Amino acid sequence: MSDPFFHPVSGFDLPRFAGVPTFMRLPHVPLEHERLSDVQIGLIGVPWDSGTTNRPGPRHGPRQLRDASTMMRAQHAVSGMRPFEAANCADLGDVGPNPADILDSMERITSFYNRVISAGILPLTAGGDHLTSLPVLRAVAKKDPVGMIHFDSHTDLFHSYFGGTMYTHGTPFRRAVEEGLLDPKRVVQIGLRGTMYDTEDRDFAAANGIRLILVEEFHARGVEDVMAEAREIVGQGDTYISYDIDFVDPTFAPGTGTPEVGGPNSYQALQVCRELEGVKIVGADMVEVSPPFDPSGGTAFLGVSIMYELLCVMAGQVARSD
């Protein structure tokens, strides 16, 4: 049973439209807080999109995701999991980026997450564009490479953009493999689709043993079968979960910078998270929610609903390890 200090504010005590928004109405526990050592799962915002190459906006994602997350309640409707009772969860605040300097921002992000990992906290991140995952992985996989289950319509395995720019939202996992942060033979990427520049990214995946599951295969096989293979690929080792909201069809999640049609629906978007049960998660992220392209707020609400699903799996893992 978790410490009551870490329980969210109930909608029966304070209306969900009132109060200062934190992720899922949890207490705000900055890194200097006296209760930091008691936190088991930390929700963190990374308001940064300097890796974006087309439509910017994910830098505003964490703020909108926090606001939408006030609708998350105490109990999962299907599993019965009560994540805030299973683990001490808190909003650790935002990493302050340098919007004018990509390398400095990445150093700031890694430094923040080094402190989180050193405190023994499992990080659940709200981005930010997908380059965010690289500096987070530099902290999470500092000692040993990890596996990864990656939900996305793009591989993000490109070498560079515009003749030599190495750090964009299309390159994080190429860098992560090169830096020894990811074990490519324990990486699976699910939902890939859309038009292509060429096959460079897929060639890199094939050469390094990364398993690509295109959306056609995903739809043909179904969620349970695909996720059973994903769990087999990562095995019992440490695994990072990276979830780009553009994995979901833009009918359900239009608020993102690089949408691709033909994707999963919103229910399948939740299902894949539920099938992560048993994976040894060492960190997870939800990235590329872009409020300027989300006038209804529906993309952000789906994004935090996915974060809640991830949180339930992570909280169950923490509870079993206690």
Side-chain angles (χ1 to χ4, degrees), residues 66 79 89 103 113 136 146 150 156 165 221 235 246-247:
R66 276 193 178 89
S79 69
C89 306
L103 297 180
Y113 279 80
V136 174
V146 300
H150 173 204
D156 298 345
T165 300
R221 292 174 58 189
D246 74 29
F247 168 73

Side-chain angles (χ1 to χ4, degrees), residues 171-317:
T171 67
F173 301 125
R174 179 75 161 255
R175 300 287 88 80
V177 171
E178 293 169 348
E179 294 178 22
L181 306 174
L182 291 176
D183 175 357
K185 292 180 173 55
R186 295 184 54 240
V187 172
V188 55
Q189 301 184 313
I190 303 170
L192 308 171
R193 61 191 188 273
T195 56
M196 302 165 62
Y197 292 109
D198 51 36
T199 62
E200 178 209 327
D201 56 333
R202 296 187 183 184
D203 294 343
F204 178 84
N208 288 275
I210 295 172
R211 172 72 165 108
L212 305 183
I213 299 179
L214 277 58
V215 79
E216 290 79 9
E217 181 179 353
F218 175 87
H219 287 309
R221 292 174 58 189
V223 169
E224 290 187 7
D225 191 34
V226 166
M227 291 307 297
E229 182 186 354
R231 292 193 303 272
E232 183 178 350
I233 288 170
V234 298
Q236 299 302 308
D238 291 353
T239 301
Y240 190 77
I241 310 299
S242 191
Y243 202 126
D244 189 324
I245 196 66
D246 74 29
F247 168 73
V248 188
D249 191 90
T251 302
F252 306 93
T256 191
T258 314
E260 302 287 358
V261 298
N265 61 34
S266 57
Y267 179 60
Q268 293 168 315
L270 305 180
Q271 276 186 299
V272 295
C273 297
R274 296 172 189 176
E275 293 292 327
L276 292 169
E277 198 69 47
V279 175
K280 187 181 179 184
I281 299 174
V282 292
D285 63 45
M286 156 55 58
V287 298
E288 296 285 1
V289 171
S290 184
F293 302 101
D294 189 30
S296 72
T299 307
F301 186 60
L302 177 58
V304 296
S305 298
I306 291 165
M307 289 180 69
Y308 183 83
E309 296 283 347
L310 293 170
L311 178 66
C312 285
V313 176
M314 295 166 74
Q317 175 179 304

Side-chain angles (χ1 to χ4, degrees), residues 1-11 16 22-27 38-43 68-77 79-91 124 304-319 322:
M1 182 66 68
S2 67
D3 186 329
F5 172 82
F6 294 102
H7 290 186
V9 176
S10 170
R16 297 186 181 278
T22 58
F23 281 120
M24 304 185 196
R25 311 193 95 190
L26 290 164
D38 297 319
V39 178
Q40 294 171 301
I41 301 176
L43 287 79
S69 76
T70 63
M71 288 301 297
M72 297 300 104
R73 299 180 180 87
Q75 182 167 318
H76 192 287
S79 69
M81 166 60 71
R82 297 179 68 85
F84 309 116
E85 295 177 13
N88 290 342
C89 306
D91 186 331
L124 175 53
V304 296
S305 298
I306 291 165
M307 289 180 69
Y308 183 83
E309 296 283 347
L310 293 170
L311 178 66
C312 285
V313 176
M314 295 166 74
Q317 175 179 304
V318 168
D322 283 350

Side-chain angles (χ1 to χ4, degrees), residues 104-149:
D104 182 49
S105 288
M106 289 198 293
E107 289 177 2
R108 292 174 183 224
I109 295 166
T110 300
S111 176
F112 187 103
Y113 279 80
N114 279 336
R115 296 176 65 185
V116 171
I117 301 303
S118 295
I121 299 170
L122 279 178
L124 175 53
T125 302
D129 70 49
H130 221 148
L131 184 57
T132 299
S133 300
L134 177 60
V136 174
L137 280 166
R138 286 173 175 170
V140 170
K142 188 175 183 178
K143 295 181 179 178
D144 296 292
V146 300
M148 181 176 69
I149 299 176

